[in-house]
Amino acid sequence: MSADHTPLVFSGMQPTGNLHLGNYLGAMRNWLKLQSSYRCVYCVVDLHAMTMEFDPQQLAKASREVAAAYIASGVDPQRSVIFVQSGNSDHAELAWIFNCVARVGWLNRMTQFKDKAGKNSEKMSVGLYTYPVLMAADILGYRATHVPVGDDQKQHVELARDIAQKFNNDFAAPGFFPLPEPIITGPATRVMSLRDGKAKMSKSDPSDYSRINLADDADTIALKFRKAKTDPHPLPESEAELEGRPEAANLIAIYAAFQEKSRQAVIDEFRGAQFSMLKNALADLVVAKLSPIADEMRRLLGDQAELDRQLREGANKARAISGPIMEEVRRVVGIGR
Ligand code: TYM
């Protein structure tokens, strides 16, 4: 078995509500760039969305919306594989096999479970606990070598590496599964809430003012930036002065990411100015970037039959990659027929 794997990019997003600026800047923008150099597989992870309370009536709709957001943002179904996770049952089967590889101690260290469960861990679903194992199956089921994600998913990709390594040691050969690398790059790998610069921008924040959704209209975007929390000082003159000013750092990072500039270049542009200047410029910039995406999303969702056809085609392509890998996996663990 060769340890050299053909590079393959895999990533996914949960259909649990609106995609927001954090998803876009932290992950999706890197997905788009990778399409020109790598084989890319981008998944709407509906099985992951079942790990917390969910509404079955909404799940299929939310999955279509996320798929439409991928395509509207520039993920090209001709170049990249786009599909819904449940459309390829290899994910669930490999997750079970990996449940028998991963150790309880490894999962006990996952900070996202602790964050999501809080004091209620006993009442959480077992699915939420083993969520990172399903994520490892998503990645390794395609022998993916690169995983573009936001900063919050780093620990999960590291767990996928640990699972790959243990599987290789216990059942197969050193190169059977690649050890996937997270790709976490850009000035906005961790976009923060607009209401609290110390909290991550998140779909689950009860305040819609905490985030900019990809589907927000121009007035809503401008209003959310206007209401964004700031501090009483003028904008800084240097990166060092951002220390202890999380809200300023966040707005500057968002601006830098959209302009494809460094944080220092943005600081140079706004040094000493009032926050309102930056907020107005941000609103204009973000509206200009996001409104064509929102329009295209609406257009794609208007033709559900065509979107579903593209997703079925994507699932067929996904199975064509994972199928032969799963046959090898079954054989090495002794369940192949
Ligand atoms: P999810 O759906 O929470 O988020 C999707 C992607 O968006 C990134 N992200 C952020 N980046 C910067 N700032 C933020 N505030 C922010 N919020 C979210 C996430 O890091 C992620 O890249 N477990 C994954 C989904 C998943 C997956 C996978 C990812 C399932 N299987 C296999 C990669 C590979 C998740 O919940 O992402």
Side-chain angles (χ1 to χ4, degrees), residues 71-133:
I71 300 171
S73 302
V75 179
D76 176 358
Q78 300 307 319
R79 282 198 287 174
S80 300
V81 178
I82 304 176
F83 73 109
V84 179
Q85 189 183 32
S86 57
N88 181 0
S89 56
D90 288 342
H91 293 244
E93 184 181 351
L94 187 57
W96 179 257
I97 295 170
F98 285 168
N99 272 331
C100 304
V101 173
R103 306 289 95 180
V104 170
W106 300 357
L107 290 182
N108 283 344
R109 286 196 285 276
M110 295 294 113
T111 56
Q112 196 161 78
F113 177 78
K114 289 179 201 160
D115 290 347
K116 286 193 178 173
K119 293 196 179 76
N120 288 324
S121 61
E122 297 276 314
K123 296 205 172 73
M124 291 293 134
S125 73
V126 176
L128 185 69
Y129 186 67
T130 65
Y131 174 117
V133 177

Side-chain angles (χ1 to χ4, degrees), residues 10-16 19-28 31 45 48 85 112 116 131 134-136 138-139 147-154 156-157 188-193 200-203:
F10 184 97
S11 199
M13 296 201 187
Q14 291 193 70
T16 43
L19 293 192
H20 54 69
L21 213 57
N23 301 127
Y24 183 73
L25 294 178
M28 193 112 82
W31 296 13
V45 293
H48 278 103
Q85 189 183 32
Q112 196 161 78
K116 286 193 178 173
Y131 174 117
L134 176 59
M135 186 164 156
D138 297 340
I139 297 167
V147 186
V149 282
D151 179 66
D152 61 335
Q153 296 299 316
K154 185 163 183 248
H156 289 164
V157 181
T189 55
R190 191 173 180 84
V191 178
M192 308 309 277
S193 156
K200 193 180 67 168
M201 185 178 282
S202 146
K203 292 168 202 160

